[in-house]
Amino acid sequence: GAMGVAGGVGLVPMIASMLVPGVGPVLAIGVAGGLILGALGAVGGGAVGGKLEGEVFEGLPEDELYVYEDALRKGRSVVVVMAEDDEADAVRGALEHAGAESIDRAREMWWIGIRDAEKEKYKADGSNFEDDERYFRCGFEAAVLHKNRNRTYEECHRELGDRYPRMHESGPFKRGFERGKEYLKTISKHQN
């Protein structure tokens, strides 16, 4: 039923362990799944790759892509359904009933999965992670956004100021950004 309403305008992204047996780890996201995992990463640098990537990811919130990547790395399925506004709740309900996890829940579980290690590193110099976590996490997440991946904090500074006013210049945010860069290096090594 959820697959039948695909093709509308509103997005109902969900991450599921398995919805359709035998379909494989990427369902309804197709080429985007390959791009997310870097299978087509070499194409991304050229003009043709940029156009293809723009078309494939059109409509997907850029700040969710790292959550999709994490789910795919863990062998989970990613289901993205385009539904008309009046059908979105029904689709969401059908996916939840089938055991799908919302993107918000997946994002929170991603952070929980790395939080303890980040907390220990942060506290090593006597800093208070609990007080700074919100700023640190925003910086960390800013670093893993696709548009920021190959850029330094200084190169992103203006855009970070637009997205995270007042927050982006704090020490915890900058530390989070740098730790996010380290995280990307770590997961990149494990994929190769």
Side-chain angles (χ1 to χ4, degrees):
M3 295 291 290
V5 296
V9 256
L11 263 181
V12 183
M14 305 291 252
I15 298 179
S17 297
M18 181 173 58
L19 289 178
V20 180
V23 172
V26 180
L27 175 68
I29 199 167
V31 175
L35 284 169
I36 288 172
L37 290 175
L40 301 176
V43 177
V48 173
K51 184 175 181 346
L52 174 63
E53 186 173 335
E55 289 177 11
V56 169
F57 292 129
E58 186 177 331
L60 292 177
E62 194 261 347
D63 62 344
E64 294 177 357
L65 296 178
Y66 68 91
V67 179
Y68 300 148
E69 287 175 325
D70 183 62
L72 293 170
R73 261 193 310 280
K74 291 177 178 173
R76 304 199 54 209
S77 298
V78 173
V79 178
V80 177
V81 178
M82 307 294 244
E84 296 291 335
D85 288 339
D86 60 336
E87 297 170 328
D89 287 339
V91 172
R92 187 176 293 107
L95 289 170
E96 287 173 359
H97 181 73
E101 181 176 64
S102 73
I103 190 67
D104 292 333
R105 172 86 171 132
R107 180 183 294 109
E108 203 52 40
M109 295 310 295
W110 167 81
W111 180 246
I112 288 170
I114 60 177
R115 183 184 184 275
D116 287 344
E118 293 305 319
K119 178 180 177 179
E120 289 308 310
K121 288 218 180 258
Y122 196 86
K123 291 174 78 171
D125 69 357
S127 297
N128 188 330
F129 186 78
E130 286 75 15
D131 288 348
D132 298 341
E133 182 176 3
R134 180 172 166 251
Y135 282 55
F136 179 86
R137 180 177 175 176
C138 285
F140 196 103
E141 290 181 2
V144 300
L145 295 177
H146 279 264
K147 67 181 177 185
N148 296 337
R149 289 201 173 174
N150 296 316
R151 300 168 65 201
T152 65
Y153 171 84
E154 290 74 24
E155 291 170 329
C156 303
H157 186 263
R158 171 176 251 138
E159 293 169 35
L160 293 172
D162 292 341
R163 186 175 178 130
Y164 307 96
R166 297 177 307 230
M167 181 183 283
H168 78 290
E169 292 188 345
S170 73
F173 183 95
K174 290 177 189 177
R175 275 180 79 177
F177 191 90
E178 294 308 317
R179 288 296 304 151
K181 291 294 185 189
E182 289 299 314
Y183 168 80
L184 289 173
K185 288 178 189 174
T186 303
I187 61 172
S188 178
K189 286 178 187 175
H190 291 319
Q191 287 178 344
N192 294 332

